[in-house]
Amino acid sequence: MNGFNSIAIDGPAGAGKSSLARRLSKELGYIYVDTGAIYRSVGLAAHRRGLDTKNEIAVSAMLPEISIEMRYNDEGEQRMFLDGEDVSAEIRMPEISICASNVSAMPAVRAYLLEMQRRMARTHNVIMDGRDIGTVVLPDAELKIFLTASAAARAQRRLLELQGKSVKADYDEVLRDKQDTSRAAAPLKAAEDAVRVDTSDIDFEQSAALLRSIVRERLGV
Ligand code: DC
């Protein structure tokens, strides 16, 4: 209710959230906020310090000592900075995924990052993707989408797209989704008022067109 529109997209890893959100944000001229990147930055910080990323006391003690910033470059692309250093590429390393999932289960980490996410939505039209955007971060979002795809469809896409990804990476993703869904703090789940979109049987272009039509219908843009 601040003059800006917010669109929340939640769902498991590998459902296609980020590519679809990026496409939609370009079409609408909204800012795309990838909240997973913020958790990844905290995960990377803990990993670099050699901390056990499941140790809540150690990770909480680290938070006041680090600086995490989200900046947008001239192309409107989100970059993550850890203590002033651009870590946008490093946070994508496979071993950082599980570190991010581990630290994201901690209430102290979630509280630390909440305001940064909300601030973006107060000052811009945003499409924000994550796990708890519709339920916790932006409960008043104008539109909430819960994006899923069957495990079989996600595995099939990985086989086709990500030649470099190993069976281990596949297993890690399943493990991470299980962890993100079963945790006590802001678990991955659909908001009651979310529109559920299952992309198992449709391709990227069809999924993008479907989301675009939902936005048009719900927001009139
Ligand atoms: O979207 P991603 O795979 O980059 O996210 C990395 C991890 O961050 C994911 O395993 C769970 C966590 N996460 C979260 O808890 N809440 C969010 N809104 C976004 C990500």
Side-chain angles (χ1 to χ4, degrees):
M1 306 311 119
N2 52 16
F4 292 104
N5 282 337
S6 298
I7 300 175
I9 303 187
D10 290 299
K17 292 189 305 289
S18 60
S19 2
L20 286 167
R22 198 169 281 120
R23 162 71 74 87
L24 202 54
S25 70
K26 284 218 170 75
E27 289 176 357
L28 295 169
Y30 284 19
I31 288 196
Y32 166 49
V33 184
D34 168 7
T35 63
I38 315 177
Y39 289 93
R40 285 173 179 274
S41 303
V42 177
L44 175 66
H47 181 76
R48 278 185 173 180
R49 288 172 184 232
L51 302 183
D52 169 1
T53 55
K54 287 206 160 201
N55 182 332
E56 187 159 8
I57 294 172
V59 173
S60 303
M62 173 192 80
L63 295 176
E65 297 170 6
I66 61 172
S67 134
I68 307 267
E69 274 176 282
M70 187 163 52
R71 296 186 205 157
Y72 284 82
N73 66 16
D74 293 342
E75 283 79 52
E77 194 191 2
Q78 174 183 336
R79 310 292 298 177
M80 292 308 305
F81 289 79
L82 170 60
D83 298 326
E85 175 194 346
D86 187 337
V87 291
S88 310
E90 208 174 336
I91 56 172
R92 299 291 154 201
M93 293 190 316
E95 62 266 39
I96 301 306
S97 301
I98 196 70
C99 296
S101 176
N102 289 344
V103 300
S104 77
M106 301 170 183
V109 170
R110 307 203 72 84
Y112 174 81
L113 299 177
L114 187 60
E115 181 51 26
M116 182 189 299
Q117 299 168 75
R118 287 191 173 154
R119 196 182 313 125
M120 282 307 292
R122 275 201 299 273
T123 48
H124 304 85
N125 288 318
V126 292
I127 297 188
M128 199 175 279
D129 88 12
R131 305 295 189 287
D132 63 334
I133 308 306
T135 50
V136 177
V137 179
L138 303 176
D140 297 327
E142 278 70 21
L143 172 62
K144 302 176 184 177
I145 291 171
F146 195 78
L147 202 68
T148 55
S150 67
R154 286 156 57 194
Q156 177 75 19
R157 282 176 201 161
R158 275 192 297 271
L159 274 182
L160 291 174
E161 293 164 11
L162 302 163
Q163 320 86 322
K165 252 196 175 182
S166 61
V167 172
K168 179 168 183 315
D170 201 23
Y171 171 78
D172 285 351
E173 198 163 280
V174 173
L175 184 78
R176 193 151 66 88
D177 277 336
K178 192 162 180 296
Q179 182 163 295
D180 296 341
T181 307
S182 60
R183 70 189 180 204
L188 165 64
K189 68 164 190 262
E192 273 178 21
D193 51 350
V195 181
R196 289 169 183 269
V197 175
D198 184 334
T199 65
S200 305
D201 300 319
I202 53 178
D203 68 17
F204 177 77
E205 289 302 330
Q206 291 168 319
S207 306
L210 177 58
L211 293 192
R212 185 69 190 90
S213 71
I214 294 171
V215 170
R216 199 173 296 121
E217 186 183 310
R218 294 284 295 263
L219 300 186
V221 290

